[in-house]
Amino acid sequence: MIIHKSLNSIIFKNYLKIIFGFFILFSQALKASENIYIGYASSLHNAMKEIVNDYKKQSDVKLKFGMGASGNIAQQIMRDAPYDIFISANKKWINYLDEHHKIKERQPWISNSLSMIGSMKSIEDLTLNDNERFCLADPKNAPLGLYSLEVINALNLNIPDNQIIFLKDAASLQYYLSIDECDYAITYLSNILNLEKNIDVQSLPLNLYSDITYEIGILKLNKGTKDFVNYLQQPSVLRKLKNHGFIIDR
């Protein structure tokens, strides 16, 4: 009888070890397959592709991303799109989500500047011929559009409505520039540096538009999201962003 109890005890202990082992393996599998969904402003896309690929080499976390106009992504989040991190090209859309209690943590990140595209003697004297087109990011959802309108109003530029091509975001505007669909445009310096062609460019004075601040919002606060946001602040990442034309404030 004593031997029988000892045998049962040994079997039970081994059974617990097996269950515990399966639990550890299952937990590790879940950790290895952890996903982080990032939504970011389309003007970041070329740089973010490099950053995400580099991060994948040193982490088991699977990074997935969506890009577009900051306003469009913010509205997707309001409709419960499963983003964990949101990077906006202005504070407006981070503030919007913060007001609706979607943001757990937030921090400013990098900056940008604007340039005018097109052949002109001076920006103040810009006049379009009847067949010329002015490309403008849609100010309803794209921060680039809002910054561009500030420039247009500050310089009191007269651009006929029927000669404006409204584009959904900075990436769309960059594409239209690349295929010569725009005679004139206002865009980010970072977009110009990624164009594989020569174009006429004039830098726009910083006092014509609001400070361009990219801000990071963490929507789901956990180790994975905090680690990636910390990675975005690393000197090697900031140098990469600077090479893409972004302004690093530190």
Side-chain angles (χ1 to χ4, degrees), residues 208-220:
L208 295 180
Y209 54 92
S210 303
D211 291 339
I212 300 173
T213 301
Y214 289 75
E215 188 150 346
I216 302 170
I218 301 180
L219 307 166
K220 297 176 184 175

Side-chain angles (χ1 to χ4, degrees), residues 4-246:
H4 179 66
K5 286 183 176 179
S6 299
L7 184 60
N8 284 342
S9 177
I10 292 170
I11 292 172
F12 182 69
K13 288 179 179 178
N14 287 337
Y15 177 75
L16 288 178
K17 288 180 181 178
I18 292 170
I19 295 297
F20 183 71
F22 276 121
F23 177 76
I24 294 297
L25 290 173
F26 182 69
S27 298
Q28 290 175 342
L30 284 177
K31 184 178 179 181
S33 63
E34 181 181 0
N35 294 327
I36 294 178
Y37 294 88
I38 309 162
Y40 56 77
S42 69
S43 52
L44 291 165
H45 187 52
N46 291 301
M48 284 297 292
K49 283 191 297 184
E50 294 183 24
I51 292 168
V52 166
N53 286 334
D54 288 345
Y55 191 73
K56 286 178 177 178
K57 296 174 184 177
Q58 66 178 58
S59 173
D60 292 330
V61 173
K62 294 180 181 178
L63 297 177
K64 298 185 178 182
F65 57 82
M67 61 104 176
S70 299
N72 285 337
I73 295 176
Q75 290 163 34
Q76 290 169 19
I77 291 169
M78 288 299 298
R79 296 192 293 270
D80 297 323
Y83 290 113
D84 302 302
I85 297 170
F86 171 45
I87 308 176
S88 175
N90 64 3
K91 295 180 181 180
K92 172 185 174 179
W93 293 109
I94 294 286
N95 290 339
Y96 171 73
L97 292 176
D98 209 356
E99 290 166 2
H100 288 84
H101 311 291
K102 295 287 188 179
I103 302 292
K104 299 297 188 293
E105 283 187 6
R106 58 187 290 181
Q107 56 182 271
W109 189 28
I110 55 177
S111 302
N112 214 330
S113 60
L114 296 181
S115 295
M116 178 78 83
I117 309 298
S119 300
M120 67 201 92
K121 292 182 180 179
S122 69
I123 300 169
E124 292 82 356
D125 296 330
L126 172 65
T127 302
L128 273 67
N129 296 328
D130 291 342
N131 62 340
E132 290 183 320
R133 296 151 298 183
F134 192 103
C135 289
L136 186 67
D138 186 354
K140 292 179 181 177
N141 291 306
L144 174 58
L146 288 175
Y147 298 130
S148 300
L149 280 186
E150 290 179 347
V151 172
I152 291 169
N153 291 332
L155 295 175
N156 197 27
L157 298 179
N158 182 23
I159 304 172
D161 291 343
N162 63 350
Q163 291 180 250
I164 297 177
I165 300 176
F166 284 103
L167 300 166
K168 64 179 181 178
D169 55 27
S172 300
L173 196 151
Q174 182 179 359
Y175 173 71
Y176 266 61
L177 285 171
S178 71
I179 61 173
D180 295 320
E181 287 296 320
C182 307
D183 298 293
Y184 297 93
I186 297 174
T187 191
Y188 294 123
L189 174 62
S190 59
N191 277 8
I192 295 169
L193 294 183
N194 284 300
L195 283 173
E196 297 178 356
K197 57 180 297 185
N198 294 322
I199 53 176
D200 295 316
V201 180
Q202 291 193 40
S203 296
L204 290 166
L206 296 176
N207 62 356
L208 295 180
Y209 54 92
S210 303
D211 291 339
I212 300 173
T213 301
Y214 289 75
E215 188 150 346
I216 302 170
I218 301 180
L219 307 166
K220 297 176 184 175
L221 199 57
N222 53 50
K223 185 179 184 303
T225 55
K226 291 183 75 171
D227 285 349
F228 182 70
V229 170
N230 288 337
Y231 177 74
L232 293 178
Q233 304 286 6
Q234 296 300 309
S236 60
V237 174
L238 296 177
R239 282 195 298 272
K240 193 181 297 293
L241 288 158
K242 188 174 182 179
N243 291 337
H244 278 274
F246 294 94

